[in-house]
Amino acid sequence: MAAITASMVAELRGKTDAPMMECKKALTEADGDMAKAEEILRVKLGNKASKAAARVAAEGVVAINIAADGKTGAILEINSETDFVAKNDEFLKLAKDCVELVVTQNPADVAALSALSLADGTVDSVRAALVGKIGENMSLRRFARVEATGKLVSYIHGGAKVGVLVDVVGGDEQLGKDLAMHIAASKPKSLDASGVPAELLETERRVAIEKARESGKPEAMLEKIAEGTVQKYLKEVTLLGQVFVKAEDGKQTIEQLLKAKGASVASFQLFLVGEGIEKKVNDFAAEVAAQAAAAAANR
């Protein structure tokens, strides 16, 4: 049996970035053969990756890339299990590389993006290798590619947890920045009323009617009250209807701002990391109790 030295463990860890104890175990199993130990770790990391794939990845970052001419751009969300990994340099590089590929290669969907060439393999093989290396699930969730009518402006906020890509026609650079920041802050659902799903409006209408009815309003007034409620809702959730966050009078809407600047918004994309993903909430006390009980049962 070959002696496994600290320098050998450090060398293998440098090649694979695997945990120290895993490196030592692999070297022991390989009887000191560095190449064989590396192969053993690759197998183990692959298994780790497949186990990690079952875990919820609701953290992560939003990445944005805009071509030099400002006419083509993309926004992408990539998820991890923890915010710690979302700050990892290799994870951030994967996000950067992927969103650049969306701009340059124009994949049809996430599956097509995953199959594109990257480094010495594909996007998916690079992702899987990183999952194995870190031991935490990560996934490409979504992206949007935009070919602008005007010029694209972007904004990243909150440690890359919120990303905005907006197509601004006319206006100046400051207007574009202000619009992108407003969208990040106010989170509109759509540009105007035409983009709001009919079921949302119908829900607002039903709730308004029932509230008015319960408060004793005459039946003849219910529809009018409901319509007023729906219009108020539209002002709150549409970009053009929202009050500009930097409005000095607290009243100027985005629509009025754009008109004053002789500009318009052709479209926008707003990505919020983990939006709609059900996050697992850990009960630390219960987890410790369960571990203690399991340990006692194994004695």
Side-chain angles (χ1 to χ4, degrees):
M1 176 68 69
I4 308 301
T5 65
S7 62
M8 291 169 67
V9 173
E11 181 182 350
L12 183 59
R13 191 172 192 278
K15 288 183 176 181
T16 64
D17 205 30
M20 198 73 75
M21 288 306 297
E22 290 295 324
C23 291
K24 186 175 182 180
K25 288 177 184 177
L27 282 164
T28 301
E29 186 178 340
D31 197 21
D33 186 320
M34 189 66 65
K36 187 175 179 180
E38 188 173 351
E39 184 177 331
I40 290 169
L41 277 179
R42 284 178 177 173
V43 172
K44 289 184 177 180
L45 290 176
N47 290 338
K48 187 189 292 185
S50 64
K51 291 177 183 178
R55 300 197 293 266
V56 175
E59 294 295 336
V61 295
V62 175
I64 295 176
N65 181 282
I66 299 176
D69 63 2
K71 287 289 188 178
T72 305
I75 180 170
L76 173 143
E77 178 185 354
I78 180 170
N79 299 125
S80 59
E81 290 180 53
T82 64
D83 189 51
F84 179 77
V85 168
K87 296 173 183 175
N88 177 279
D89 287 342
E90 289 180 275
F91 179 80
L92 293 174
K93 185 179 185 305
L94 177 61
K96 178 177 178 291
D97 289 343
C98 285
V99 76
E100 184 174 350
L101 283 172
V102 174
V103 172
T104 59
Q105 302 297 316
N106 193 19
D109 50 29
V110 170
L113 171 60
S114 298
L116 291 177
S117 296
L118 182 64
D120 294 327
T122 64
V123 167
D124 195 56
S125 69
V126 171
R127 180 201 63 81
L130 193 55
V131 170
K133 182 177 180 180
I134 295 177
E136 182 170 309
N137 190 23
M138 52 192 75
S139 60
L140 295 168
R141 186 185 183 198
R142 55 178 173 163
F143 67 80
R145 186 176 186 274
V146 180
E147 294 184 358
T149 301
K151 188 172 183 178
L152 292 172
V153 181
S154 67
Y155 179 65
I156 295 282
H157 181 73
K161 301 302 181 187
V162 180
V164 176
L165 187 62
V166 55
D167 180 359
V168 184
V169 182
D172 54 21
E173 185 178 347
Q174 187 58 51
L175 175 64
K177 289 180 180 179
D178 285 344
L179 288 169
M181 291 178 69
H182 171 94
I183 292 168
S186 299
K187 301 175 179 57
K189 295 182 181 297
S190 68
L191 179 61
D192 55 30
S194 67
V196 180
E199 57 268 26
L200 288 182
L201 299 182
E202 187 55 37
T203 297
E204 292 297 316
R205 189 179 298 277
R206 282 199 310 271
V207 170
I209 287 175
E210 289 306 313
K211 281 185 175 180
R213 185 174 283 142
E214 287 183 6
S215 67
K217 300 292 183 183
E219 286 291 322
M221 292 181 59
L222 297 185
E223 283 298 330
K224 186 176 181 180
I225 291 172
E227 182 58 28
T229 300
V230 167
Q231 292 305 314
K232 181 182 178 182
Y233 174 74
L234 286 172
K235 289 179 181 179
E236 293 172 351
V237 302
T238 61
L239 176 60
L240 297 183
Q242 289 178 339
V243 173
F244 178 37
V245 291
K246 291 174 66 176
E248 293 182 1
D249 62 358
K251 297 179 180 179
Q252 185 185 39
T253 65
I254 293 295
E255 185 172 25
Q256 291 168 341
L257 171 67
L258 290 168
K259 186 175 180 180
K261 298 287 186 178
S264 63
V265 171
S267 67
F268 73 87
Q269 296 289 336
L270 168 65
F271 279 15
L272 310 176
V273 168
E275 183 180 24
I277 299 176
E278 186 175 346
K279 298 185 181 182
K280 180 181 178 181
V281 178
N282 292 317
D283 185 333
F284 183 70
E287 188 176 325
V288 171
Q291 289 177 351
N298 291 328
R299 286 174 188 161

